[in-house]
Amino acid sequence: MIYLDHNASTPVRPEVAEAMREALAGSGANPSSAHREGQHERARIEQARERVAALVHAHPEQVVFTSGGTEGDHLALMGAAWGLRERGKTVAISSIEHHAVHGAAAWLKDLGFTIEHLPVRPDGMTDPSIVNDLPRDTSLVSLMLANNETGVLQPVAAVAARAHARGMRVHCDAVQCAGKMPIDTDALDIDYLVISAHKIGGPKGVGAVIVRPGAPLMPLLRGSGHERGLRGGTENLPGIVGFGCAAELALRDLASERTRLLALRERFEHGLKAIAPDAVIHGTSAPRLPNTVNVSIPGARSDHMLMALDAEGVAVSAGAACASGGVEPSPVLAAMGVPRELAICALRFSSGRTTTEREIDDALAAIGRAVPKARALAPA
Ligand code: PLP
């Protein structure tokens, strides 16, 4: 199989699996226990915390472990909005956020908050000046670092500067950026930054929120003092250890992987244009992640391409939502103003650590065979 769906999830790195195996084979003591065995397990968690903090240039005390990006986004958005409710009850999110952020915003709406949606330009980027137009009672602005569908990088630092000047806090979903681009939480000036282990060669079901000291945050899960009282529940020790190991390796390999993935992306995009000169690659006029290509090949619908590529052993994601009996344009592409007939042909190819040049060439050959099949299936 040629796996080009690394934005959905990544294979667990062998070193990570080994670190987790070792953690599972430990004493089994609770990291909160005062005895020596407990403290030994605690030390494993604190070492992972240091490694995760280093990946995003933060201090270990800022790291709050969660069950993943979705919980992290919920904790950051809901916990911050609730903690800041005296300041105002409007929360602004960009219109291209992941479902995890839209879901948390929907909860806030049910709780009586007003949600503002920031538009994006046709190039897929948010215009930072839009922050100046937000209502005065906006307490929190949420903007992702890189979009999961198009890979387009967002002007988070510029948005944060404007938001802070107006007394608003900033949440940033950095799930797709971690391990692919350097992240400096301080330089970006973010109050709440969210990352997830399974996007960087770590296990599924573990993530973190990086919280600026003093930034208000009400815990969603309460009951005990875990994670400095911000996230109750006995820690997922093997998951956290795996996350720490993955973070350390991702930081070590960051520069070399970025260069390698960029070269693969260029090779792939060049090949795509040779197969289908009318192919439209979304977001190319903006800075993008080195591993993500979102492309529409006119007349070749996403669902038909996905099936044809799957039969060829190439795993990718549709850049459109498959609805019963058809496809719907992705809200991200719709927000960018991509015409419907093009948006329903969008496919997302995302490479990663295991992707080789040979796989890119083989995937291109498979795409070349899939396009005429998909075009033949599309309604006139
Ligand atoms: N945010 C973004 C941008 C994502 O791409 C994802 C996963 O696809 C998430 C959040 C959710 O993370 P998790 O799968 O760890 O819950």
Side-chain angles (χ1 to χ4, degrees):
M1 186 188 66
I2 300 174
Y3 185 72
L4 292 175
D5 204 12
H6 287 253
N7 283 10
S9 200
T10 57
V12 171
R13 298 183 74 146
E15 301 92 324
V16 169
E18 178 53 28
M20 292 179 71
R21 195 200 56 75
E22 207 212 302
L24 281 166
S27 69
N30 192 315
S32 296
S33 294
H35 48 66
R36 210 178 312 162
E37 295 300 342
Q39 291 314 296
H40 183 69
E41 303 301 298
R42 165 64 47 203
R44 294 186 202 258
I45 291 183
E46 296 316 312
Q47 184 188 52
R49 199 184 299 284
E50 283 171 18
R51 292 173 171 172
V52 168
L55 179 64
V56 293
H57 210 268
H59 295 287
E61 316 84 70
Q62 293 177 258
V63 176
V64 177
F65 286 118
T66 65
S67 67
T70 301
E71 186 194 325
D73 284 331
H74 276 71
L75 172 57
L77 226 72
M78 298 181 68
W82 194 251
L84 292 161
R85 66 192 183 285
E86 298 296 325
R87 184 183 178 300
K89 290 188 81 177
T90 297
V91 169
I93 69 171
S94 90
S95 41
I96 56 162
E97 292 300 310
H98 189 266
H99 298 298
V101 171
H102 283 288
W107 244 124
L108 286 170
K109 193 160 182 263
D110 289 347
L111 294 173
F113 285 75
T114 302
I115 308 299
E116 294 278 342
H117 291 93
L118 308 177
V120 287
R121 301 187 308 225
D123 65 359
M125 283 178 85
T126 308
D127 180 352
S129 68
I130 206 85
V131 173
N132 302 334
D133 303 332
L134 288 172
R136 206 187 293 267
D137 75 335
T138 307
S139 59
L140 184 69
V141 179
S142 174
L143 178 62
M144 66 200 329
L145 206 44
N147 183 263
N148 45 298
E149 293 184 30
T150 61
V152 171
L153 302 173
Q154 299 298 316
V156 171
V159 162
R162 284 172 170 79
H164 286 144
R166 297 195 61 199
M168 303 163 184
R169 296 280 182 173
V170 179
H171 160 251
C172 178
D173 177 331
V175 167
Q176 287 296 343
C177 215
K180 297 171 190 153
M181 304 280 290
I183 300 177
D184 186 331
T185 310
D186 278 346
L188 286 169
D189 205 16
I190 298 300
D191 299 294
Y192 316 93
L193 183 118
V194 174
I195 53 177
S196 175
H198 75 99
K199 309 287 184 178
I200 62 165
K204 293 164 182 61
V206 58
V209 186
I210 316 300
V211 186
R212 182 200 294 275
L217 189 68
M218 298 298 275
L220 301 184
L221 305 181
R222 309 182 190 191
S224 35
H226 299 102
E227 299 298 298
R228 302 195 320 284
L230 294 173
R231 203 276 186 177
T234 301
E235 298 88 342
N236 169 6
L237 181 93
I240 289 172
V241 166
F243 189 11
C245 181
E248 187 178 44
L249 296 171
L251 184 60
R252 186 195 70 189
D253 298 346
L254 197 55
S256 57
E257 268 302 272
R258 205 174 145 196
T259 311
R260 198 182 71 84
L261 291 174
L262 208 52
L264 290 179
R265 190 184 81 183
E266 271 164 25
R267 187 181 186 93
F268 185 62
E269 292 188 347
H270 188 76
L272 277 176
K273 286 287 185 184
I275 292 166
D278 55 347
V280 177
I281 300 170
H282 303 290
T284 48
S285 52
R288 280 179 301 152
L289 289 175
N291 79 318
T292 308
V293 177
N294 190 314
V295 61
S296 292
I297 299 175
R301 249 171 54 182
S302 306
D303 51 343
H304 297 150
M305 281 297 286
L306 202 70
M307 269 189 314
L309 287 175
D310 191 40
E312 293 264 3
V314 182
V316 302
S317 268
C322 298
S324 54
V327 277
E328 283 304 318
S330 108
V332 171
L333 296 180
M336 289 165 66
V338 175
R340 185 190 157 81
E341 61 278 14
L342 208 53
I344 60 169
C345 297
L347 285 177
R348 180 188 69 185
F349 296 85
S350 50
S351 58
R353 190 182 57 81
T354 53
T355 312
T356 62
E357 234 176 48
R358 169 82 196 272
E359 284 185 322
I360 292 293
D361 293 345
D362 289 350
L364 283 166
I367 293 166
R369 291 187 292 272
V371 169
K373 287 184 197 155
R375 279 184 171 153
L377 280 172

